[in-house]
């Protein structure tokens, strides 16, 4: 069987077509593939921002015509480029497991002094979504004390955009999809070697930040590949089903359905991210509609429906603790990346020039305002959220975690030793737990101390965020033969818990 696979002719588009072809051949060794690459309307018009071009599907519509005329069998798209409107003649026959859906900020190292002096960051990006969602974030989470952020339009493939940044004397940064660079840097075919080498040379002149989805949700379906095929070709649809990843498909399609509900289109100032996790599906929606409606939604749909109780039956307490710095700490030899649990965990005498990742946005902000460059964060979803930095860093990073001496070390990127930089003494609870049936914990230490005082609560329902606190509670319950998966729940935060569990 011989297949014709079409895509745009840029390095990234060709690479994505090869990824689909290789996946098909791995599952179906008998097939042979002919690749067809050419420019689309969007590749020819590089003067206007995409949202200003009146035609829809500027990167995809030409290929739709090829399918209708039987000039090709399959078309591989970056799914975010497809119009949200339904097409009756074609379907998305397959999508591969999704790449990182986050955006990436690149900043020229040579411009740091200029940015610090002017308190202004000039960024290449043609996306209204990014401009709306990131302006305030940059002012607080970059170590420049910014007062102004200016966005400038830019077009072209990834190499062209980075080259424009490097060559521009005025522009300081560029925002791009991280998936594009992860794929380009991971390519092994000789035809990509020259562009890959040039990109890597440019990267040596840049510092970068992986932008958080809770602040800057992705363009709908960003990071996902869509394989378009005629609906009438059931034989090809059956073939594509062998490489199809349903989880990626449903998350990406959900994002596109949401965007379509607001009118669709890349002119929208709307980001929408849907994340599938073992404990449920997270939806992050942020932006501004054409009608002026401000969107700001962070929601978890848990896999197991949580119980509901009357408000007096719910119990939670803020963590109150005394912290004291440890003067003698030791970061393991060979460490190249630090995971910082809290800003208090950063020693005042620590000089660090390698990678920094934080547990959440608050820690990121606090460290940034101390002049520390933070590369991204786990967005309060726990250390099991892998940073996915190795490809950009061009090496496997060796991690260590800065936390308190009784902190919980959870494996990230193959293992992460704990570096104790302070002691933590949690106060005992002064609140009664009598009559309480559902407990929310914001600290593992708080849970362990409270169950020592009130062991009777172990048989009740317990909840926490998805990070280390959940791991501490689960481990303790298992060790004491009290673990019941129907009584241990995950929520995004205490507010989410109260909203979902109050009658």
């Amino acid at each position: 069987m011989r297949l014709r696979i079409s895509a745009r002719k840029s390095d990234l588009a060709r690479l994505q077509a090869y990824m689909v072809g290789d996946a098909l051949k791995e599952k179906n060794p008998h097939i042979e593939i002919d690749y067809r690459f050419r420019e689309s309307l969007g590749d020819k018009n590089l003067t206007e921002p995409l949202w200003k071009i009146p035609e829809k599907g500027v990167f995809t519509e030409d290929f739709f015509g090829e399918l209708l005329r039987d000039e090709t069998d399959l078309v591989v798209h970056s799914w975010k480029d497809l119009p949200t409107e339904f097409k009756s003649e074609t379907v998305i026959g397959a999508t591969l497991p999704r790449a990182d859906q986050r955006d990436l900020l690149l900043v020229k190292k040579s411009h740091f002094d200029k940015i610090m002096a002017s308190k202004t960051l000039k960024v290449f990006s043609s996306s209204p979504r990014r401009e709306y969602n990131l302006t305030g974030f940059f002012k607080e989470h970059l170590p420049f004390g910014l007062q102004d952020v200016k966005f400038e339009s830019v077009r072209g493939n990834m190499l062209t955009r980075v080259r424009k940044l490097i060559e521009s004397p005025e522009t300081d940064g560029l925002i791009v999809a991280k998936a594009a660079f992860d794929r380009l840097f991971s390519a092994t075919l000789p035809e990509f070697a020259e562009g890959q080498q040039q990109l890597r040379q440019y990267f040596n002149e840049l510092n970068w930040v992986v932008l958080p989805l809770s602040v800057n949700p992705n363009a709908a379906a960003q990071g996902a590949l869509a394989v378009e095929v005629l609906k009438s070709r059931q034989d090809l649809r059956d073939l594509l089903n062998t490489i199809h990843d349903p989880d990626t498909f449903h998350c990406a399609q959900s994002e596109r359905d949401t965007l379509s509900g607001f009118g669709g289109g890349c002119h929208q100032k709307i980001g929408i991210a849907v994340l599938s996790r073992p404990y449920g599906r997270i939806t992050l929606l942020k932006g501004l509609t054409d009608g002026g409606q401000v969107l700001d939604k962070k929601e978890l749909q848990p896999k197991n429906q949580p119980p509901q109780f009357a408000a007096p039956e719910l119990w939670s307490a803020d963590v109150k603790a005394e912290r004291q710095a440890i003067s003698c700490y030791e970061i393991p030899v060979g460490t190249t990346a630090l995971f910082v649990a809290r800003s208090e965990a950063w020693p005042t005498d620590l000089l660090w020039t390698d990678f920094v990742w934080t547990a959440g946005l608050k820690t990121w902000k606090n460290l940034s305002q101390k002049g520390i460059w933070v590369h991204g964060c786990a967005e309060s979803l726990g250390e099991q959220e892998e940073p996915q930095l190795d490809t950009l860093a061009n090496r496997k990073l060796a991690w260590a975690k800065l936390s308190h001496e009784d902190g919980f070390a959870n494996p990230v990127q193959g293992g992460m030793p704990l570096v104790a930089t302070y002691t933590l003494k949690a106060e005992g609870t002064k609140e009664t737990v009598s009559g309480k049936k559902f407990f929310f914990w914001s600290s593992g230490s708080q849970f362990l101390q409270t169950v020592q005082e009130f062991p009777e609560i172990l048989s009740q329902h317990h909840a926490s965020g998805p990070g280390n606190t959940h791991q501490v509670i689960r481990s303790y319950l298992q060790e004491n033969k009290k673990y019941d998966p129907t009584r241990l729940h995950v929520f995004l935060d205490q507010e989410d818990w109260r909203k979902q569990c109050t009658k």
Side-chain angles (χ1 to χ4, degrees):
M1 182 180 185
R2 183 173 290 274
L3 286 180
R4 299 165 295 174
I5 296 181
S6 292
R8 295 162 59 198
K9 65 187 299 184
S10 71
D11 281 3
L12 180 60
R14 297 200 322 275
L15 176 59
Q16 292 173 168
Y18 293 149
M19 289 170 61
V20 171
D22 289 346
L24 281 170
K25 291 179 76 171
E26 183 179 351
K27 296 290 185 179
N28 308 274
H30 61 283
I31 67 173
E32 296 181 6
I33 298 175
D34 294 327
Y35 293 97
R36 300 162 53 90
F37 303 120
R38 68 181 184 84
E39 289 185 327
S40 66
L41 173 63
D43 296 310
K44 297 172 185 176
N45 181 354
L46 294 177
T47 58
E48 294 287 341
L50 290 177
W51 62 272
K52 284 189 175 182
I53 299 177
E55 294 87 355
K56 292 186 178 181
V58 294
F59 293 122
T60 62
E61 199 64 22
D62 296 340
F63 297 102
F64 173 65
E66 287 189 1
L67 284 170
L68 296 183
R69 295 188 298 271
D70 192 31
E71 295 171 1
T72 193
D73 298 308
L74 312 173
V75 182
V76 179
H77 304 285
S78 292
W79 201 352
K80 67 181 178 62
D81 293 338
L82 283 166
T84 55
E85 289 84 354
F86 173 77
K87 291 180 179 178
S88 60
E89 301 94 339
T90 62
V91 295
I92 304 305
T95 187
L96 303 186
R98 194 174 198 171
D100 198 327
Q101 63 205 80
R102 295 171 294 184
D103 280 335
L104 193 66
L105 169 68
L106 310 174
V107 180
K108 287 188 285 192
K109 297 175 184 177
S110 61
H111 278 217
F112 273 35
D113 289 342
K114 168 181 171 291
I115 298 169
M116 288 289 291
S118 66
K119 301 299 181 185
T120 299
L121 180 70
K122 296 181 180 179
V123 185
F124 273 145
S125 175
S126 302
S127 165
R129 165 185 65 90
R130 290 165 174 159
E131 180 173 357
Y132 179 81
N133 285 328
L134 288 169
T135 297
F137 174 80
F138 287 160
K139 291 179 180 180
E140 293 187 336
H141 290 78
L142 294 178
F144 301 123
L146 294 174
Q147 297 175 2
D148 194 17
V149 181
K150 297 180 179 179
F151 286 77
E152 306 170 39
S153 179
V154 66
R155 291 286 310 282
N157 62 38
M158 289 297 134
L159 184 57
T160 298
R161 283 188 240 178
V162 177
R163 183 171 60 247
K164 287 181 178 179
L165 169 62
I166 296 296
E167 294 176 351
S168 170
E170 296 298 325
T171 308
D172 310 304
L174 167 70
I175 306 172
V176 292
K178 181 174 180 288
F181 285 88
D182 285 343
R183 287 173 175 151
L184 288 168
F185 281 143
S186 299
T188 57
L189 291 176
E191 67 183 272
F192 300 111
E194 183 179 351
Q196 198 176 63
Q197 183 180 12
Q198 184 64 69
L199 264 183
R200 190 59 75 181
Q201 289 176 359
Y202 288 151
F203 251 61
N204 291 335
E205 301 181 41
L206 304 168
N207 224 336
W208 42 267
V209 169
V210 181
L211 298 168
L213 290 172
S214 55
V215 172
N216 178 54
N218 51 266
Q222 182 167 301
L225 301 182
V227 186
E228 189 178 18
V229 62
L230 286 175
K231 186 183 292 186
S232 59
R233 291 293 305 270
Q234 189 61 49
D235 59 329
L236 297 181
R237 294 173 66 181
D238 291 342
L239 184 71
L240 288 170
N241 195 50
T242 63
I243 65 169
H244 181 56
D245 183 66
D247 202 41
T248 293
F249 177 87
H250 290 306
C251 288
Q253 187 60 57
S254 176
E255 293 171 6
R256 286 169 55 81
D257 290 344
T258 299
L259 183 63
S260 180
F262 293 109
C266 59
H267 71 283
Q268 293 274 20
K269 302 175 182 177
I270 298 173
I272 169 68
V274 177
L275 313 176
S276 179
R277 295 295 184 265
Y279 48 84
R281 182 164 289 183
I282 301 170
T283 299
L284 304 167
L285 175 65
K286 212 168 177 63
L288 183 70
T289 69
D290 289 342
Q293 178 187 358
V294 176
L295 305 174
D296 190 1
K297 173 184 176 183
K298 184 177 181 181
E299 180 178 274
L300 170 65
Q301 183 180 349
K303 277 196 174 178
N304 300 318
Q305 191 62 33
Q308 291 190 323
F309 293 100
E313 296 174 306
L314 303 179
W315 187 94
S316 65
D318 293 330
V319 181
K320 295 180 180 179
E322 179 184 340
R323 296 178 175 85
Q324 186 171 351
I326 296 175
S327 57
C328 296
Y329 63 89
E330 185 174 346
I331 296 175
V333 175
T335 299
T336 54
L338 296 178
F339 182 97
V340 187
R342 296 179 64 96
S343 57
E344 293 91 342
W346 190 274
T348 56
D349 63 344
L350 176 60
L351 299 176
W352 186 258
T353 57
D354 243 319
F355 295 92
V356 176
W357 200 258
T358 65
L361 288 166
K362 182 178 179 181
T363 300
W364 183 342
K365 178 180 175 180
N366 289 341
L367 291 186
S368 176
Q369 293 179 355
K370 294 178 181 179
I372 298 165
W373 185 275
V374 177
H375 292 83
C377 77
E379 305 196 53
S380 300
L381 296 180
E383 294 163 38
Q384 71 276 7
E385 296 286 318
E386 291 193 4
Q388 302 183 61
L389 304 185
D390 289 358
T391 300
L392 295 179
N394 202 26
R395 54 182 162 145
K396 183 170 179 57
L397 299 180
W399 290 83
K401 174 184 175 181
L402 305 186
S403 187
H404 61 88
E405 62 182 356
D406 296 319
F408 182 81
N410 194 35
V412 170
Q413 301 280 72
M416 185 164 61
L418 175 68
V419 177
T421 57
Y422 69 97
T423 60
L424 178 70
K425 183 179 179 182
E427 293 183 6
T429 180
K430 297 179 175 60
E431 300 181 45
T432 179
V433 297
S434 176
K436 306 299 182 181
K437 298 181 179 179
F438 201 172
F439 296 79
F440 184 90
W441 307 97
S442 53
S443 157
S445 301
Q446 177 196 38
F447 167 79
L448 294 174
Q449 187 156 342
T450 304
V451 296
Q452 293 302 313
E453 297 179 51
F454 306 101
E456 65 271 19
I457 70 174
L458 286 176
S459 59
Q460 302 295 345
H461 286 268
H462 300 274
S464 70
N468 277 350
T469 299
H470 180 79
Q471 300 297 328
V472 170
I473 297 171
R474 179 171 179 160
S475 296
Y476 186 89
L477 293 174
Q478 288 173 331
E479 290 169 7
N480 289 273
K481 298 185 174 12
K482 293 287 187 179
Y483 176 64
D484 179 350
T486 66
R487 290 178 173 269
L488 182 58
H489 310 272
V490 173
F491 297 90
L492 293 177
D493 50 37
Q494 189 176 136
E495 182 182 350
D496 183 38
W497 166 70
R498 286 195 178 277
K499 182 173 66 176
Q500 294 201 45
C501 299
T502 305
K503 287 183 180 178

